[in-house]
Amino acid sequence: MIPAAGLATRFLPATKAVPKELLPVVDRPVLQYIVEEAAASGIRDILLVTGRGKTSMVDHFDRRPDLEARLAEKGDTKRLEAIKRPAELAEIYTCRQGEPLGLGHAVSYGESHVGNEAFAVLLGDEFVDEAEPLLPAMLDLQAQTGGIVLAFIEVDPEETNRYGIAAVEPSDHTVDAGETVKVTALVEKPKPEEAPSNLAIVGRYVLPPEVFDAIRRIGPGAGGEIQLTDAMALLLAEGTPVHGIVYRGTRYDTGMPLGYLQTVVQLAVKRDDLGKAFSHWLTQFVEKDLRG
């Protein structure tokens, strides 16, 4: 499940007509990187939770026979393969969230699609480097432990009020992607002096179907929204096991303009076709800027 119904006000006016999830990172939209991450983990069933004005996200994963025919006539096989790839990644399904009332509210829209199975939630504005995968390890850990599996990063203490924060203890389970921990408490956006640790929940979750009932039983939380962290905290209090992986690989966060620009630069310099020339230009530009 990919919740993607937000208004993306940080990117206005660009996102007045173009969904933030379709902003390009060089020549692929953010959303495609996320679907590719899921597909590489063996997940072929994707539910997009969309909102008003975001139908173009679904269009991106559809075929374009007219464009394909034009590229085939020109013999442009490289671009032909590139535009066909999104439609081949996974089966894309959609539902519409009437208004964005929090991540928990968005997740609740997937209940009829998910049924009685564990499922993964991937936020629509961040992804990890394909050479340092995280989701396969999370699925592996959930198969070992059941319950909830979260992804954590370590943040500066003064940043805890931007995230869900966990209290943890060591775990005996092992996976390839990083250190595993057992979660003992979850707090949504605590003040730095009240945070139980500096381990912040980031945009990858593996959840049991019981989370839907928990979402129904919680009220509005931080920001007056239905918070997924509060639903998970309720399940934890009722005995559902919660584990996590402390991820120390490369994570790209496109949720704010600075992070988006950093992601574009990081991935552009890695490109075989662009990296050398772009890195050279970027070095010259920075040196010139420093000289004033």
Side-chain angles (χ1 to χ4, degrees):
M1 182 189 304
I2 302 176
L7 300 175
T9 55
R10 294 186 181 95
F11 286 86
L12 287 171
T15 49
K16 180 182 178 182
V18 179
K20 177 183 68 173
E21 295 82 5
L22 292 187
L23 294 178
V25 177
V26 187
D27 55 5
R28 276 185 284 169
V30 173
L31 185 59
Q32 183 172 331
Y33 283 92
I34 295 167
V35 173
E36 287 174 345
E37 181 181 341
S41 303
I43 297 175
R44 300 279 301 175
D45 184 312
I46 305 290
L47 177 67
L48 297 179
V49 182
T50 68
R52 187 175 295 106
K54 290 198 163 189
T55 56
S56 55
M57 291 192 299
V58 183
D59 293 338
H60 178 73
F61 294 94
D62 201 356
R63 296 289 296 269
R64 276 287 304 272
D66 57 332
L67 184 55
E68 292 172 18
R70 180 64 62 88
L71 292 172
E73 289 171 5
K74 293 170 61 177
D76 193 342
T77 56
K78 183 177 180 180
R79 289 189 175 87
L80 177 59
E81 291 173 359
I83 67 160
K84 290 170 66 176
R85 176 170 169 75
E88 297 168 348
L89 288 170
E91 297 294 328
I92 305 294
Y93 303 89
T94 67
C95 64
R96 177 172 289 194
Q97 184 184 11
E99 55 181 322
L101 296 177
L103 180 56
H105 184 252
V107 169
S108 72
Y109 277 76
E111 184 171 10
S112 61
H113 187 86
V114 168
N116 197 36
E117 302 288 337
F119 63 103
V121 174
L122 292 77
L123 298 194
D125 54 14
E126 60 182 87
F127 55 97
V128 303
D129 194 287
E130 62 183 4
E132 303 168 289
L134 170 61
L135 191 55
M138 294 182 68
L139 297 172
D140 178 31
L141 183 58
Q142 204 275 342
Q144 297 179 44
T145 63
I148 296 169
V149 172
L150 304 174
F152 296 118
I153 60 169
E154 296 176 300
V155 299
D156 293 333
E158 60 269 21
E159 294 182 305
T160 58
N161 59 2
R162 294 175 48 204
Y163 299 92
I165 301 295
V168 303
E169 59 186 35
S171 168
D172 294 331
H173 298 279
T174 59
V175 293
D176 294 335
E179 174 192 358
T180 63
V181 292
K182 182 178 180 180
V183 176
T184 58
L186 292 168
V187 184
E188 180 66 18
K189 299 178 180 177
K191 296 177 182 178
E193 63 272 17
E194 298 173 356
S197 75
N198 70 331
L199 292 181
I201 305 170
V202 291
R204 297 293 178 269
Y205 309 76
V206 182
L207 302 171
E210 290 79 13
V211 74
F212 297 116
D213 179 63
I215 291 171
R216 282 190 288 270
R217 290 189 286 133
I218 60 170
E225 297 182 333
I226 303 299
Q227 298 289 352
L228 180 60
T229 300
D230 293 341
M232 295 189 299
L234 175 59
L235 290 178
L236 175 62
E238 294 176 345
T240 297
V242 181
H243 293 80
I245 297 174
V246 182
Y247 184 68
R248 295 188 173 90
T250 303
R251 168 179 168 263
Y252 303 107
D253 185 354
T254 64
M256 293 187 290
L258 177 59
Y260 170 74
L261 292 172
Q262 290 170 333
T263 297
V264 173
V265 171
Q266 287 175 277
L267 291 179
V269 298
K270 290 184 175 184
R271 290 274 295 254
D272 292 337
D273 57 340
L274 297 172
K276 185 175 181 181
F278 180 64
S279 297
H280 178 70
W281 173 85
L282 187 62
T283 300
Q284 291 185 317
F285 177 80
V286 172
E287 289 176 349
K288 181 180 178 181
D289 186 64
L290 290 174
R291 290 196 301 266

